[in-house]
Amino acid sequence: MNIKYIIKKDIEQALSKISDKNYKPLIMLTKNSKFGHYQVNNLIKISNSFNIKPNDLFEKIILFFKKNYMYEKINFSEPGFINIFINSSWLSEELEKIFFSPRLGIKRFSPKNIIVDYSAPNIAKEMHIGHLRSTIIGDVMARTLEFLGHNVIRANHIGDWGTQFGILIAYLKYEKLINKLQNNLLTLKDLEHIYCKSKNKYDSDEFFSKKSREYVVKLQNGDKKCHSIWKKLVYITMNENYKIYKKLNVTLKKEHTMGESTYKKMLLKIVQDLKRKKIAIEKNGTTIVYLDEFKNKSGNSMGVIVQKRDKGFLYSTTDIACLKYRYEKLHADRVIYYIDSRQHQHLLQVWIIAKKANYIPENLLLEHHMFGMMLSKNKRPFKTRDGNTIKLSDFLNEAINRAKKLILTKKPHLTHKKIIKLANTIGISAIKYADLSKNRSTNYIFDWDKMINFEGNTAPYIQYAYTRIMSILKKSTISIHKLKQKVLLNKPSEINLAIKILEFEEIILLIADKGTPHVMCKYLYELATYFSNFYEECSILFCKKIKICKSRLKLSFLTARTLKKGLNILGIKTVKKM
Ligand code: ARG
């Protein structure tokens, strides 16, 4: 149920009777229900363009407004607001519908093929803190769209192709490490170490760099030995990464891995085709696409290289091929990329080239949901004490350890096993929530102390609110699942809570559109707070009349279900006891 949307449409309908112009009324949930449950907030602005007083415009709107059962009353308040009161019997009927719906009444869409490109770590390197945002924000989007009935294709575009593999193979051979690798005796940490050393050698040793390039060619030509080494490198890396995904409660699995290597066979054809279509030209052996849409520092069209002089392909070439594949083979209707903001220009260029070459139609929905960085308290990028990037696994372990310490002080009597389990859930949830609750488009300051905190807009607060409601429900002798008694909404806190519960669909739709998990966090925080207000004002287990008890139990149960579903969309687990 999207009440805000209904109100907007009704007001728009009334405005369309008054003028041909297309006005966009701004509808808001109010903070104080004395001024209605909802408000039209931009009446002054609209009335200005009519050249009449807001109150006079209100009178006109009311003349044409189709006031149905949903509306209790509508009035005007100075200086220029329309206050809308929702009928509580109508609210009660809507709650009834969602109470018996396993999807909380949220309708399914006719399915679209939507690609969510997220996480995308690189091979032979451990995931670091820079991968967190893409991984968890992208996962929220995948879960949201899937819940709405879409066919979501999770795409983990891992960095598993390129010249670095020639260097790695050359180095593993040089250090006689191939057997160790094939016998699973090298860890990802070892590989990262080897990667650094091999790169240094490549830069300083000419013979070695020649060898490396030979291995690149061999690998590209499908040499069996090189291929099996490459496969092992990918396997060791991703094996560790899947552990991280599991720990993070992220839904990425093996079958979602569609790395750069997926498109390797397309690259040469793409370059030839771009040349044939006169989109790319060859200059001193390098193949370049010049784009008038982008200017370089000297004001000339910017060149995007798609093939180097040594015949190697680039990150852009792969992304062009990948987009072609996503449209032709995966029949994408919408492609959403979760990559940090520094790659925005790269994506725009790739999209333009793919359109120019007719690989994708003009109307394919392409979105870059970029995000800012995590900063430390001194507003610098979040790093280890010695200035290195923080490994994601170390970061997660630190969160779990901090949660464990907190649990030990609050619940020292729990068994060791329970403490570990709880610490895992609380620690990971807290990290995820701390990130997801920030507007993704900006940088944010990460603060350990604020994160694992039972107060404020944090995961523990919401999780605790959920367990508290569940324990209230447990105390009741009434079987809640089949309750026939309709919800009775009398007290303001009951009505506010009911409206908040019904707002859930609007929030989900907003995320599906914009990929902004923070609106869900804000919503869950408000829902939990509204429940607290309700709990303070209304007795749930000990009411004078049994029907009031039943009604309030039902409202509580709906709150708990909504909290749980909301957390689930965020990829955050609930716990039974805290
Ligand atoms: N592996 C890349 C990186 O670490 C991110 C890939 C994002 N996806 C894409 N289709 N380019 O920067």
Side-chain angles (χ1 to χ4, degrees):
M1 178 48 50
N2 194 337
I3 303 180
K4 205 188 253 181
Y5 182 77
I6 301 176
I7 300 175
K8 185 166 175 268
K9 285 285 152 217
D10 288 346
I11 301 268
E12 270 171 7
Q13 181 275 131
L15 280 166
S16 74
K17 295 270 157 42
I18 311 169
S19 154
D20 292 338
K21 251 180 149 183
N22 218 343
Y23 292 101
K24 294 249 165 297
L26 198 67
I27 319 295
M28 306 280 253
L29 245 181
T30 57
K31 294 241 153 45
N32 183 346
S33 45
K34 256 206 318 217
F35 303 109
H37 304 114
Y38 287 87
Q39 251 178 10
V40 180
N41 268 20
N42 59 343
L43 188 72
I44 300 183
K45 205 169 153 213
I46 300 177
S47 63
N48 281 345
S49 51
F50 275 94
N51 239 334
I52 53 174
K53 282 199 208 123
N55 196 0
D56 295 338
L57 178 60
F58 168 73
E59 296 296 339
K60 277 185 198 280
I61 289 175
I62 279 304
L63 271 182
F64 295 105
F65 193 84
K66 287 199 189 125
K67 190 167 167 278
N68 59 32
Y69 175 46
M70 180 180 112
Y71 299 99
E72 170 78 39
K73 80 180 171 202
I74 301 174
N75 60 26
F76 174 85
S77 67
E78 291 294 351
F81 297 103
I82 301 181
N83 308 324
I84 295 154
F85 296 80
I86 307 293
N87 180 319
S88 53
S89 316
W90 181 85
L91 284 173
S92 164
E93 279 168 28
E94 289 305 311
L95 289 177
E96 199 66 14
K97 287 182 201 158
I98 66 170
F99 186 82
F100 289 103
S101 149
R103 302 176 48 77
L104 287 162
I106 295 172
K107 55 183 177 295
R108 263 177 215 279
F109 279 70
S110 60
K112 291 255 183 301
N113 292 332
I114 307 180
I115 313 241
V116 185
D117 178 326
Y118 68 110
S119 194
N122 297 315
I123 297 305
K125 285 185 189 166
E126 285 186 78
M127 281 178 87
H128 58 80
I129 202 143
H131 292 110
L132 181 73
R133 304 205 80 185
S134 171
T135 306
I136 65 177
I137 302 174
D139 203 49
V140 173
M141 193 55 158
R143 287 168 184 262
T144 306
L145 295 169
E146 211 156 53
F147 177 62
L148 289 175
H150 291 298
N151 174 29
V152 173
I153 302 163
R154 292 168 173 77
N156 196 355
H157 192 86
I158 60 171
D160 62 354
W161 204 243
T163 44
Q164 71 268 33
F165 289 95
I167 306 175
L168 271 164
I169 295 173
Y171 195 82
L172 287 162
K173 291 236 176 200
Y174 169 79
E175 289 283 358
K176 304 204 171 24
L177 288 168
I178 301 293
N179 269 339
K180 245 184 146 178
L181 175 82
Q182 295 294 18
N183 292 322
N184 293 324
L185 295 172
L186 293 179
T187 63
L188 178 55
K189 273 206 169 34
D190 296 332
L191 292 188
E192 178 143 5
H193 200 61
I194 289 169
Y195 184 81
C196 288
K197 287 212 279 195
S198 69
K199 243 193 144 157
N200 287 339
K201 195 162 176 61
Y202 180 82
D203 291 334
S204 59
D205 180 339
E206 214 166 287
F207 178 73
F208 179 79
S209 65
K210 193 167 156 265
K211 268 263 158 260
S212 303
R213 283 195 295 274
E214 280 168 23
Y215 280 119
V216 176
V217 177
K218 270 186 156 183
L219 179 65
Q220 280 174 346
N221 291 341
D223 174 89
K224 277 218 169 84
K225 276 204 178 120
C226 286
H227 187 83
S228 101
I229 297 171
W230 167 80
K231 236 180 133 178
K232 200 79 193 181
L233 294 171
V234 175
Y235 173 81
I236 293 172
T237 312
M238 290 314 287
N239 213 22
E240 278 312 304
N241 291 342
Y242 294 129
K243 286 185 203 157
I244 291 194
Y245 294 149
K246 191 155 183 247
K247 207 172 204 171
L248 270 174
N249 192 24
V250 157
T251 53
L252 279 172
K253 301 267 156 32
K254 231 186 195 142
E255 62 268 28
H256 305 127
T257 295
M258 284 184 256
E260 295 178 21
S261 67
T262 315
Y263 315 102
K264 59 181 189 259
K265 292 219 172 90
M266 296 170 70
L267 304 180
L268 182 61
K269 280 194 204 123
I270 295 254
V271 171
Q272 287 168 343
D273 187 53
L274 291 176
K275 276 199 239 174
R276 199 173 48 81
K277 290 178 176 154
K278 305 236 169 345
I279 295 166
I281 53 163
E282 204 175 309
K283 211 171 164 186
N284 307 325
T286 309
T287 310
I288 311 174
V289 178
Y290 283 100
L291 293 175
D292 293 337
E293 292 85 349
F294 296 90
K295 299 280 180 228
N296 59 20
K297 278 189 205 120
S298 29
N300 301 321
S301 297
M302 198 186 269
V304 180
I305 300 179
V306 287
Q307 189 172 26
K308 290 185 285 187
R309 217 188 311 180
D310 66 7
K311 300 294 163 227
F313 303 103
L314 291 104
Y315 185 52
S316 300
T317 330
T318 303
D319 260 323
I320 296 168
C322 166
L323 190 49
K324 186 173 189 284
Y325 180 89
R326 287 173 177 179
Y327 178 68
E328 283 175 7
K329 299 275 189 292
L330 305 178
H331 309 293
D333 298 304
R334 182 179 177 197
V335 187
I336 314 170
Y337 298 79
Y338 287 89
I339 321 179
D340 79 48
S341 41
R342 286 167 298 185
Q343 290 192 27
H344 190 56
Q345 179 164 306
H346 157 77
L347 277 182
L348 293 180
Q349 290 171 340
V350 164
W351 298 347
I352 291 180
I353 297 172
K355 279 181 192 167
K356 283 195 174 160
N358 252 328
Y359 297 152
I360 55 166
E362 219 32 72
N363 63 358
L364 175 63
L365 295 172
L366 298 169
E367 297 165 33
H368 179 198
H369 290 186
M370 47 187 149
F371 41 84
M373 281 194 293
M374 259 167 98
L375 304 177
S376 57
K377 275 189 194 159
N378 60 12
K379 298 199 176 144
R380 295 267 181 81
F382 202 62
K383 294 222 158 126
T384 59
R385 250 181 235 144
D386 41 12
N388 291 316
T389 44
I390 299 174
K391 307 280 184 223
L392 195 48
S393 60
D394 294 340
F395 183 62
L396 301 185
N397 288 339
E398 167 137 18
I400 294 168
N401 281 334
R402 283 176 186 254
K404 198 166 121 193
K405 273 192 200 138
L406 187 78
I407 297 164
L408 278 172
T409 56
K410 290 206 171 205
K411 306 223 153 156
H413 56 278
L414 285 181
T415 63
H416 180 67
K417 212 173 142 196
K418 279 198 174 140
I419 291 179
I420 298 293
K421 193 164 176 242
L422 199 56
N424 262 289
T425 307
I426 296 197
I428 298 293
S429 308
I431 283 193
K432 287 182 84 171
Y433 196 95
D435 191 296
L436 296 172
S437 59
K438 310 293 183 309
N439 189 332
R440 72 168 157 76
S441 53
T442 47
N443 295 341
Y444 77 93
I445 294 176
F446 184 84
D447 182 341
W448 282 112
D449 300 322
K450 277 200 192 133
M451 189 193 78
I452 308 188
N453 195 324
F454 282 83
E455 299 294 319
N457 188 9
T458 64
Y461 177 79
I462 314 284
Q463 285 166 319
Y464 183 65
Y466 175 79
T467 57
R468 202 167 62 143
I469 303 176
M470 292 314 279
S471 75
I472 296 169
L473 295 177
K474 243 197 192 149
K475 282 190 195 129
S476 162
T477 49
I478 298 169
S479 148
I480 297 150
H481 296 269
K482 291 173 213 140
L483 267 183
K484 290 259 158 32
Q485 173 62 51
K486 281 214 177 104
V487 178
L488 307 163
L489 300 167
N490 295 313
K491 302 263 186 188
S493 64
E494 289 176 305
I495 298 175
N496 288 340
L497 181 59
I499 291 178
K500 206 71 209 166
I501 292 172
L502 291 172
E503 205 193 356
F504 190 53
E505 181 163 1
E506 183 190 319
I507 300 298
I508 299 228
L509 295 181
L510 202 64
I511 299 176
D513 186 28
K514 299 257 165 31
T516 46
H518 73 278
V519 297
M520 178 61 82
C521 298
K522 184 168 169 275
Y523 169 78
L524 294 176
Y525 179 57
E526 285 168 0
L527 180 62
T529 313
Y530 279 40
F531 182 83
S532 283
N533 297 343
F534 157 72
Y535 187 59
E536 256 168 51
E537 190 179 25
C538 308
S539 170
I540 299 173
L541 296 171
F542 310 101
C543 325
K544 281 194 196 98
K545 290 185 190 146
I546 182 80
K547 65 176 191 180
I548 299 205
C549 255
K550 285 182 177 171
S551 156
R552 289 179 181 166
L553 280 169
K554 217 167 172 176
L555 203 51
S556 307
F557 186 54
L558 269 173
T559 309
R561 278 182 62 201
T562 310
L563 284 174
K564 189 178 170 109
K565 187 68 223 170
L567 285 173
N568 172 266
I569 293 272
L570 295 176
I572 290 177
K573 291 179 182 162
T574 48
V575 282
K576 284 209 184 87
K577 266 191 195 157
M578 261 174 110

